[in-house]
Structures are given as C-alpha cells and as structure tokens.
Amino acid sequence: MISAFQDLYKKGLDAGEQQRQRQKELLEQQKLRRHQEQDVTRPLAQKNTKPSGAPPKKNQRKQRAGGVHAQHKRCPFRPQLSEWLRQKPEDLDAWQLVPCPAGARCLVVANSGRTRAYYKSGWQFEDFRSSLPGDRLLQRSQTVLDCIYVKETDSYYVLDAISFGQQELQECEANFRFYWLKARFDENDYASVSEHNEKSFFLLDHHNFEDSSAVEETLQKYPLWDENKPPLDGFLFYHKEASYVCGSTPLVCWLFPFMMPDVLGLPVSSSYTAPEDYEPTQPLLYMDEFDRKLKEKVAARLKKKERRVVPEEEKMEAQAEEDAEDSDEYAALKELLDQQRRLELGELDMDCEEEVEKLPSADADC
C-alpha cells in the first residue's frame, strides 16, 4: 500500500534507512501531539464516529454491502496497517513481538447494545451479542478492537484496541494499550461462549524484546496454538511508544517466521520452512517481489470490475464474497510465491474517517 507518511521519505537512503528515519520522525510527532493534548478532553465518539445512517457525501462512493444480505453499514474506523520490517531496529528492546494467526483482519465495534464486526475494507459482516463494554454492559460507552477473525473456529483474536469501554486508547502508547487489554481480559472471561457472549475473544500474547528468553521461547515453539489451529501466519512488531494509527504506519512492522533469522538474526523453529524462491541473503528482494505481484493482481481485479456492468445487488454480493474469502486471495498469491504473508497487505490507506479507496503498494498485511 502507498504509505501514509510518504513526505517523511528521505532521498538517497535505502528502504531500510528510510523506514528507520520515518519511525523516528513519526514518534516525535506522536509524542508532541500527546503532550499538546494531554489536558484536552476529546471524546472518542465525537471525534471518530458518525451515525451509520448519516446521508452520504456528494462525492462519496456508493456503499456496498459487507454481507450477502446487504448490511449497508460501514465502520467509522480503519485498522492499523503494518509495513515490512526491512532491517533490524537499532532499538530492538523498544519493540514488542506479537504472533499472528492466519485469518481475516477486522475491527469489532461494541456500542448501543450490539457488537458488530467489519472487514478491513470497512464493510460489516457480523452482528452479534458480546460481553464487551458497549454491548451488554456500559451501553453508552464504546469498545473498538483490532482483531483477526478465524472462520474455522468462529473466534476473534485480539491484536490491539482503539477504545475499551470508557477508556480511549487511540492516542495512548502501545505499552499502555496492551497493559489495559490484558488487565480487562484477566478480569473478564471473553473467551467463553454464552447467551450474552456469542463469540469467543482471545487476547494474543505480546512479548517484550527486553525479555529475550520469552521471545526465544516463542520463536522456537511449534505449533503456537494447540494442534496448529489456527496456524501461525507471521509476526507483528509494535513500537512500545507508538499511538494507534488508523492506516499505514512504520511503527508497526511485519515478517514471516522464515524471515526472522535473515532480518533480525533470531533463529526460529525448523518447522517454519521458507518457500523455494526465497533467498536467505536477499529478504528485501522477496518483499519487493511479493508487493509487485500483489499490486498486479489487485490492478487486474479492479480493471476487470471496471469492464463489467452489473446490478448493484450483484456488486454487493461480489464485495461480500471477496471480503469473506480474504484468506483465499492470499492463498492464490501463494501459488505464485508459495508461502506469503496474509494479514495486512491493506488495499486501503486511509485515516479513521476517510473513505477513499487506494491501490496497495509496499506495505505488509498485518
């Protein structure tokens, strides 16, 4: 995807150094913003949300359904999208490691007594009851979770949060967001299915690179989840001091397990095998080739859509099918590049309230 921070690129630097420079400058921007706003109350509901039934803007694209049964609702937020981790950070101890299962990226929003799940494109695909604040409890508050939905187990694996009940988290550092989530999940059993909690929510582990033994144990463990269900897709890297960005950010990065030894010098379990076309000495070329293949695939798909004139209802069903089979899209890419990353190769690069689609370029999928 086209980075949301293109203006931070520096000419004459390679991609790894460009990324490092953007990380430093974005961190400074976020710290300054937090300092300026520390005494300002900015309710999340007023800042980032708008009624789902609000009339569309004149230039806004027609809404398509997030489900075959025409769920004409869009999420007012966008998930935080990562980039490839192109070189080992100088301050690796300032990062956290998050193992990610294979599945569909989504946002789960609990408010007004209901819980709704939205694909990363913004279209709603599920409406259910949960024990999250904003649904059964504290209905005047709002919870927005960044998740991976695993269809095989009908479960949500929680990566991060924009808000949790009455606590706004978007401008908080990642360390605090993860601490807050763990405390809430320790206090409440969101994993058990019941009449008031129709889906299971599992909080993913976050490993501090300062604890080298915990990181080493995670990298050597296979499978990470019982019976390899769900299978591991890859690893996310969160900078501890980073705010949550609705869109692409260099402060969240991604690697496949087989890339860890070559980019970070950290060994992984021998069960994580690399595809045949992967050259251990050239991980950056592999990243660029993957992004090129993905861009071509998406462009061809968009061009095919433009040539077809179909009824609106068929368009909605087609969009729902594409979103629901996100994993299958990445499986198709794996036929070209073998095992590919699936989580955050975002086809959208937008702020929390922006609704203009863009063509993806060089950002990783989770």
Side-chain angles (χ1 to χ4, degrees):
M1 144 190 339
I2 301 174
S3 174
F5 306 101
Q6 286 188 23
D7 56 323
L8 298 181
Y9 276 86
K10 303 297 181 181
K11 294 182 179 180
L13 300 178
D14 62 32
E17 287 300 325
Q18 289 175 357
Q19 184 179 65
R20 180 174 295 174
Q21 186 66 29
R22 288 183 295 121
Q23 288 168 349
K24 292 180 179 178
E25 295 189 22
L26 182 57
L27 272 177
E28 290 302 317
Q29 290 180 11
Q30 292 182 352
K31 289 178 181 178
L32 178 61
R33 185 169 65 247
R34 282 195 292 264
H35 178 72
Q36 292 172 338
E37 297 177 348
Q38 61 183 351
D39 296 324
V40 179
T41 301
R42 297 175 299 111
L44 183 67
Q46 296 178 13
K47 177 186 174 188
N48 290 326
T49 65
K50 51 189 174 184
S52 59
K57 299 176 182 178
K58 290 183 179 180
N59 296 327
Q60 181 176 323
R61 298 186 181 190
K62 290 183 179 180
Q63 288 191 337
R64 295 169 292 177
V68 175
H69 298 294
Q71 305 260 11
H72 292 278
K73 296 180 180 179
R74 291 206 65 173
C75 182
F77 304 95
R78 292 296 176 267
Q80 181 168 250
L81 305 178
S82 68
E83 300 182 0
W84 289 108
L85 183 62
R86 292 186 170 271
Q87 67 178 18
K88 184 176 181 178
E90 296 175 340
D91 56 346
L92 188 59
D93 285 351
W95 294 74
Q96 294 220 33
L97 178 75
V98 182
C100 299
R105 188 69 179 279
C106 64
L107 289 179
V108 175
V109 181
N111 59 19
S112 303
R114 296 297 296 180
T115 299
R116 299 171 179 84
Y118 301 84
Y119 292 116
K120 64 182 180 182
S121 58
W123 302 105
Q124 179 182 328
F125 69 93
E126 279 202 319
D127 184 326
F128 54 93
R129 299 305 306 272
S130 77
S131 298
L132 295 171
D135 189 330
R136 185 187 177 201
L137 304 173
L138 300 173
Q139 294 187 6
R140 293 187 178 182
S141 65
Q142 177 172 248
T143 295
V144 184
L145 299 180
D146 186 347
C147 302
I148 297 168
Y149 175 66
V150 178
K151 184 177 180 180
E152 291 72 18
T153 60
D154 194 23
S155 302
Y156 291 87
Y157 290 79
V158 181
L159 287 166
D160 206 338
I162 297 177
S163 68
F164 199 97
Q166 298 175 331
Q167 177 64 51
E168 178 182 351
L169 297 169
Q170 185 173 346
E171 294 296 339
C172 297
E173 296 182 353
N175 257 359
F176 179 80
R177 299 198 307 273
F178 297 158
Y179 157 78
W180 191 264
L181 280 172
K182 187 176 187 309
R184 302 293 79 78
F185 272 74
D186 286 346
E187 294 171 352
N188 302 276
D189 183 9
Y190 295 119
S192 297
V193 175
S194 66
E195 178 183 356
H196 301 292
N197 194 63
E198 298 174 350
K199 306 288 182 178
S200 294
F201 288 86
F202 300 98
L203 181 63
L204 290 169
D205 292 330
H206 301 80
H207 302 287
N208 192 330
F209 271 100
E210 290 182 338
D211 187 352
S212 58
S213 60
V215 171
E216 181 181 354
E217 181 181 353
T218 300
L219 297 182
Q220 291 297 328
K221 184 178 180 180
Y222 182 89
L224 274 179
W225 292 279
D226 292 342
E227 299 180 355
N228 205 28
K229 296 180 181 179
L232 177 71
D233 195 14
F235 294 103
L236 276 173
F237 303 82
Y238 287 80
H239 196 284
K240 297 176 184 178
E241 298 179 1
S243 302
Y244 191 100
V245 175
C246 292
S248 178
T249 173
L251 296 175
V252 179
C253 297
W254 167 269
L255 285 177
F256 284 123
F258 59 82
M259 295 171 137
M260 297 288 282
D262 307 311
V263 179
L264 295 180
L266 299 176
V268 297
S269 169
S270 58
S271 297
Y272 298 121
T273 57
E276 293 181 357
D277 61 342
Y278 176 73
E279 293 291 339
T281 59
Q282 302 183 46
L284 299 183
L285 292 180
Y286 182 85
M287 298 174 189
D288 294 339
E289 178 68 7
F290 173 80
D291 289 336
R292 184 185 67 81
K293 293 283 188 180
L294 177 66
K295 185 174 181 179
E296 290 179 353
K297 184 177 180 67
V298 173
R301 188 177 66 191
L302 293 176
K303 188 175 181 180
K304 183 178 179 181
K305 283 184 178 181
E306 291 173 356
R307 291 198 302 263
R308 295 183 62 204
V309 179
V310 297
E312 188 64 24
E313 182 177 354
E314 185 177 340
K315 288 181 181 179
M316 292 189 294
E317 292 187 3
Q319 177 66 29
E321 183 177 346
E322 287 179 11
D323 282 341
E325 296 180 358
D326 208 17
S327 296
D328 292 337
E329 286 294 322
Y330 295 111
L333 284 174
K334 285 189 177 182
E335 293 178 3
L336 298 173
L337 295 173
D338 213 351
Q339 298 177 344
Q340 305 300 349
R341 59 193 164 99
R342 290 190 243 171
L343 291 178
E344 248 175 28
L345 286 159
E347 297 182 15
L348 300 172
D349 183 13
M350 54 185 73
D351 293 331
C352 292
E353 296 184 275
E354 189 177 353
E355 298 184 5
V356 179
E357 295 185 17
K358 297 182 180 179
L359 186 67
S361 167
D363 292 319
D365 177 43
C366 200

